[in-house]
Amino acid sequence: MVEFDIKPIRVTNEELIENRFSNILKGNHACAGCGGTLAMRIISKAFGRNVIYVIPASCSSVRQGFIPKSAMACPVFNTAFASAAAVASGIAAALKYQGRDDVVPVVRAGDGGTVDIGLATLSGAAERQTNMIYVCYDNEEYGNTGYQRSGATPPGARTTTTPIKGKREFKKPVPVLMADHGVPYVATASIGYVPDMYKKAYRARRQIKNGFRYIHVHFTCPPGRGTDPRDCVGLAKLAVDTGLRPLYEVINGKRYLNGISKKQYLEPDKYMKPVEEYLKYQRRYRGYTEEDVELLNRYRDRYRDLIKRHVKYTNPELEEI
Amino acid sequence: MTEYKVLSGSDAVARGVRLSRVGVIAAYPITPQTHIIERLAERIEAGEYNAQFIPVESEHSAMSAVIGASLTGVRAFTATASQGLLYMIEMLYRAAGARAPLVLALANRTLGPPRNIRAERTDLMATRDTGFLIFFAKNNQEALDMVIQAYKVAENRDVLMPALVSLEGFILTHTYAGVKIPDQEIVDEFLPPYKPPVYLDPKRPLTMGNPMPPNMHHEYRIDFHKRLLNAKELIKKAAKEREKLTGRFTGDLIETYMLEDADVVLVSMGTIAEEMEVAVDKLREDGIKAGSLRVRVFRPFPEEEIRELLAGRKHVFVFTRSLSPGSVGNGGQLAMEIKASLYELGDDEKPKIHDVLVGLGGKDVPYSDLVKIVKGVI
Ligand SMILES: Cc1ncc(C[n+]2csc(CCOP(=O)(O)OP(=O)(O)O)c2C)c(N)n1
Ligand code: SF4
Ligand SMILES: [Mg+2]
């Protein structure tokens, strides 16, 4: 049985900064301004030390740096692209066999490793209700191999494999799909809303005591987006504020929209910023057309409908950010 | 008291796994392997066997999961065949690279198309260069014993590499034969609990498998070769140790029959080797001085042993149940390895090698065919 102990979590920016524990150290090999490193740092603060990381091929494998050095302050197994959730399943089984129930395996995969090549593996581990936490670091591209289109690339974006017209299809709604697996915890998060991201990681690790937990983190990859590294956080925030990346949690099947995303849901005209505001800062949307905007709006509406169908519960205490 | 049972090859493997006190099993069904994992799942569910069973969604995940378990410090096992093996092959290289001493049982089966589920060893040959120790069983008894021996050698700190136990699909997996089941206490003495030098533990954080610069990687790769070669002596040692415990000597790198004075030597692996022994008797009845040599361990390949034993013979017939299309000779991989092993012999000592493909697609290989083949040549 999955144990719950859901309470509101309060954390201030100062507290987050003061908590020095992080399992990704300085001197790691990420690009300047990589939102993924920020996400890793904040999330690892919430997870604490008793975790074993499984990292499939992705920028996360490179950020660690070269042997004999490592920028990771926690046990890590680097694995093949499609295998992460299965390796974590094996670790979970071994921990259970050993009776080490204080330790939990955590997958730290990219969007390609999650929504494309690793999707069957992820789904298998969720269906088996494996005791693990899976975090998808979504930069909306195959970052490590040079910014190609992935199933998580949003419509309209130019990538190195959709270089001229941009992607014409929608982004795969994997968090919704994961929630439909009936797992105890699913959340979307963004580096644009750091305390919210921290709380979700904290909830996944400390309040949901076992079972399969999934967090989908949206972040900015400056070279992939074609943006200035210093815009990294602001841009991620705009993705939420334009309604393209809604923030929500699904706790034991009950869905809650968080913060601005909830306001957008209740009063879209008032709180939803036009998507153009997000596009104009990114080279991947350079020279975007009316058609691109229309496509993105349709995508946004469809995603909202998808979530709407599921949001039936409210708990004011949990919704605030 | 040693227990005797009539077991299928699959049951025998499952017994070997239980006797080895494997803690995590992950597997995916595929004929002719499925009975192995069904048997294990059943014992676990019945509460008679303490282990975690993970019914994964693919073979790729089966190998991934057992790697994870092994690196966490628990003895782990999986089994597959044919298409399943090829589906997991990426992770075989990873198991070796991660130095996870797990055991994989392979029920040999043809690769499609055309669809055929009978025994062929082309699947096994895809694992040649992975870094796995490769054992090949000739009967059900050996299948059981080999699983235990495989863990013993794989987990040795001078080796620490994964191992594969191969047995031919249907011919062994689905055929029942008498098997001596060793006592648990004897197995426990032979195979102590698995204690890897390092494992995934938050108390001692360790990064495994992050990027490595090429010059270091070169050394790391070469180390695999050394580790597998280290296994040679350890395999022999394990066989001797077992003999002390059970009174039976089984488990050397090779097995010979009537070899001492033989001019004509039949060489193969697995069940064909059992047919070879009958063929040797028949050939001897007809005045041909025949003998046989079975390659029991394919990796590490018993190069020196084979060179020594085959030097000065007239004819060597290598019967191979797998094919490397477009390669050398008739394309039998076993013959290639034998030829390579004999290259250093002087011309006067070099036997004539006959590269004979037999039993592809699971075609039956009776001793009478082997006799006919040999007589047709000499
Ligand atoms: C089986 C396999 N196919 C392809 C690759 C090459 N590859 C390595 S990382 C990567 C992209 C990873 O993308 P994503 O999962 O989104 O992570 P990111 O690099 O963006 O963090 C690819 C295609 C691989 N390592 N393995
Ligand atoms: S390519 Fe993008 S995601 Fe990868 S390390 Fe660089 S900034 Fe981060
Ligand atoms: Mg990516």
Side-chain angles (χ1 to χ4, degrees):
Chain A
M1 251 325 276
V2 175
E3 296 167 45
F4 292 96
D5 181 16
I6 308 296
K7 291 192 196 88
I9 303 159
R10 314 237 175 261
V11 63
T12 62
N13 284 342
E14 289 69 32
E15 279 164 4
L16 272 178
I17 293 163
E18 262 168 37
N19 177 357
R20 288 184 179 274
F21 173 73
S22 156
N23 56 33
I24 176 124
L25 305 173
K26 288 178 182 167
N28 66 71
H29 279 214
C31 313
C34 174
T37 320
L38 169 65
M40 275 177 160
R41 208 165 51 233
I42 299 297
I43 290 173
S44 70
K45 285 181 188 206
F47 284 173
R49 288 175 202 274
N50 268 351
V51 287
I52 294 173
Y53 282 95
V54 179
I55 302 186
S58 61
C59 282
S60 292
S61 29
V62 179
R63 285 181 202 125
Q64 299 161 44
F66 276 75
I67 292 173
K69 295 179 189 158
S70 167
M72 306 299 292
C74 52
V76 181
F77 178 57
N78 284 281
T79 191
F81 205 9
S83 68
V87 171
S89 299
I91 294 174
L95 291 169
K96 195 164 175 196
Y97 182 78
Q98 294 167 324
R100 289 158 77 192
D101 54 10
D102 52 330
V103 184
V104 68
V106 175
V107 172
R108 183 182 269 183
D111 51 301
T114 302
V115 315
D116 292 339
I117 200 167
L119 187 59
T121 317
L122 166 64
S123 170
E127 182 267 337
R128 291 189 300 274
Q129 303 291 342
T130 309
N131 185 24
M132 60 183 270
I133 304 175
Y134 190 110
V135 188
C136 170
Y137 286 79
D138 184 5
N139 56 4
E140 312 194 312
E141 76 211 354
Y142 292 112
N144 188 227
T145 37
Y147 330 118
Q148 294 84 15
R149 171 204 195 276
S150 84
T153 300
R158 276 110 182 121
T159 66
T160 50
T161 48
T162 54
I164 297 163
K165 294 187 183 145
K167 179 172 168 177
R168 294 341 279 168
E169 299 78 21
F170 289 174
K171 186 179 166 86
K172 224 186 257 188
V174 170
V176 175
L177 184 69
M178 292 321 293
D180 285 346
H181 278 66
V183 298
Y185 190 69
V186 171
T188 61
S190 164
I191 60 158
Y193 289 90
V194 168
D196 175 73
M197 179 171 69
Y198 174 83
K199 286 182 199 174
K200 285 169 175 169
Y202 187 92
R203 179 161 293 140
R205 176 72 181 109
R206 321 264 167 170
Q207 296 192 342
I208 317 283
K209 301 258 161 50
N210 47 35
F212 190 92
R213 292 147 271 176
Y214 179 84
I215 305 177
H216 195 103
V217 182
H218 178 245
F219 71 92
T220 314
C221 157
R225 297 282 199 288
T227 51
D228 197 307
R230 73 178 162 206
D231 292 338
C232 177
V233 172
L235 196 64
K237 190 167 178 298
L238 269 177
V240 177
D241 296 350
T242 50
L244 288 167
R245 301 287 167 274
L247 298 177
Y248 56 93
E249 282 178 293
V250 186
I251 307 172
N252 201 18
K254 297 187 179 177
R255 296 167 198 242
Y256 309 96
L257 278 160
N258 311 111
I260 182 78
S261 300
K262 184 183 173 208
K263 290 182 189 155
Q264 288 168 343
Y265 168 68
L266 296 171
E267 291 176 85
D269 295 341
K270 189 164 168 201
Y271 292 104
M272 199 85 90
K273 289 190 177 164
V275 295
E276 289 91 329
E277 284 201 29
Y278 175 56
L279 307 189
K280 66 185 178 195
Y281 295 105
Q282 306 176 60
R283 212 165 50 234
R284 66 173 176 169
Y285 282 112
R286 151 196 64 197
Y288 64 83
T289 59
E290 279 301 301
E291 200 190 319
D292 288 336
V293 173
E294 197 262 334
L295 192 65
L296 271 158
N297 282 331
R298 260 200 295 134
Y299 161 72
R300 180 171 72 181
D301 291 347
R302 178 168 174 269
Y303 201 10
R304 273 188 75 225
D305 286 347
L306 213 57
I307 300 168
K308 242 186 193 167
R309 249 189 278 141
H310 295 286
V311 180
K312 296 203 181 85
Y313 307 92
T314 49
N315 177 342
E317 276 209 282
L318 292 177
E319 280 150 19
E320 61 184 74
I321 290 193
Chain B
M1 262 293 294
T2 308
E3 192 187 347
Y4 289 83
K5 282 228 159 171
V6 175
L7 294 183
S8 70
S10 299
D11 290 342
V13 170
R15 270 299 176 124
V17 172
R18 281 167 57 195
L19 285 164
S20 303
R21 298 191 188 274
V22 169
V24 173
I25 297 154
Y28 192 80
I30 183 168
T31 308
Q33 164 277 126
T34 316
H35 293 154
I36 301 176
I37 57 160
E38 283 175 356
R39 208 61 78 234
L40 291 167
E42 180 191 284
R43 293 300 105 192
I44 293 169
E45 260 198 38
E48 290 168 22
Y49 167 35
N50 172 29
Q52 295 289 319
F53 186 86
I54 317 175
V56 282
E57 70 295 332
S58 77
E59 287 87 353
H60 194 278
S61 289
M63 185 48 72
S64 304
V66 291
I67 291 171
S70 180
L71 296 178
T72 310
V74 176
R75 196 169 277 154
F77 173 82
T78 185
T80 191
S82 180
Q83 315 295 140
L85 178 79
L86 294 201
Y87 200 64
M88 68 163 61
I89 202 126
E90 179 188 23
M91 297 314 290
L92 264 69
Y93 284 87
R94 193 147 301 247
R99 309 263 305 279
L102 51 93
V103 171
L104 161 69
L106 176 69
N108 303 109
R109 163 181 152 177
T110 315
L111 293 159
R115 192 184 150 91
N116 177 351
I117 56 174
R118 299 283 160 173
E120 188 185 294
R121 302 167 187 163
T122 303
D123 56 359
L124 175 72
M125 289 301 155
T127 70
R128 259 195 320 180
D129 307 329
T130 53
F132 268 64
L133 299 158
I134 301 175
F135 297 83
F136 209 112
K138 68 169 180 181
N139 58 29
N140 297 358
Q141 178 72 58
E142 207 177 46
L144 185 155
D145 293 343
M146 258 182 187
V147 171
I148 303 167
Q149 188 191 23
Y151 280 112
K152 169 101 175 167
V153 178
E155 290 172 7
N156 187 294
R157 293 199 179 184
D158 292 332
V159 180
L160 268 184
M161 296 294 277
L164 186 153
V165 172
S166 196
L167 70 164
E168 283 149 299
F170 293 100
I171 304 172
L172 293 187
T173 55
H174 288 57
T175 307
Y176 285 75
V179 175
K180 282 180 221 154
I181 316 255
D183 288 347
Q184 184 69 59
E185 300 82 73
I186 286 183
V187 176
D188 288 346
E189 198 182 331
F190 179 74
L191 182 68
Y194 170 44
K195 286 212 185 74
V198 292
Y199 57 96
L200 294 166
D201 181 10
K203 289 195 193 78
R204 283 169 294 173
L206 187 77
T207 306
M208 298 187 187
N210 53 321
M212 191 186 253
N215 54 344
M216 255 177 111
H217 208 154
H218 182 89
E219 300 299 319
Y220 192 65
R221 274 258 168 262
I222 285 176
D223 188 53
F224 289 6
H225 189 49
K226 288 193 196 131
R227 289 182 168 273
L228 286 207
L229 296 183
N230 289 345
K232 279 191 186 178
E233 275 316 303
L234 291 167
I235 289 168
K236 291 185 195 175
K237 218 174 113 197
K240 292 213 183 79
E241 201 178 313
R242 251 196 100 119
E243 188 185 16
K244 256 195 273 157
L245 292 172
T246 62
R248 278 182 292 135
F249 182 80
T250 54
D252 208 339
L253 297 165
I254 48 179
E255 188 181 61
T256 60
Y257 179 69
M258 307 287 280
L259 194 61
E260 248 151 68
D261 62 339
D263 296 330
V264 177
V265 183
L266 286 64
V267 178
S268 195
M269 302 195 290
T271 56
I272 295 173
E274 295 236 287
E275 294 295 317
M276 283 191 323
E277 294 184 4
V278 186
V280 164
D281 291 344
K282 297 285 169 200
L283 289 165
R284 290 228 169 214
E285 279 170 23
D286 295 341
I288 297 171
K289 275 209 260 171
S292 74
L293 184 153
R294 173 168 74 102
V295 176
R296 189 178 168 279
V297 180
F298 187 68
R299 286 286 181 273
F301 196 74
E303 180 189 346
E304 295 86 3
E305 290 79 359
I306 286 176
R307 184 154 56 237
E308 200 174 302
L309 288 169
L310 296 186
R313 314 283 177 177
K314 288 202 181 98
H315 292 277
V316 171
F317 290 82
V318 186
F319 298 105
T320 311
R321 192 174 222 149
S322 59
L323 170 68
S324 171
S327 63
V328 299
N330 287 336
Q333 292 98 331
L334 183 59
M336 285 179 214
E337 307 253 347
I338 301 274
K339 281 183 203 166
S341 304
L342 302 188
Y343 182 76
E344 282 171 27
L345 290 177
D347 282 348
D348 52 331
E349 281 187 316
K350 256 189 201 139
K352 182 154 180 46
I353 310 252
H354 307 278
D355 176 2
V356 192
L357 296 177
V358 289
L360 297 179
K363 189 167 174 263
D364 205 17
V365 186
Y367 68 86
S368 50
D369 281 5
L370 304 182
V371 170
K372 258 187 255 163
I373 291 166
V374 172
K375 282 192 172 168
V377 173
I378 58 170

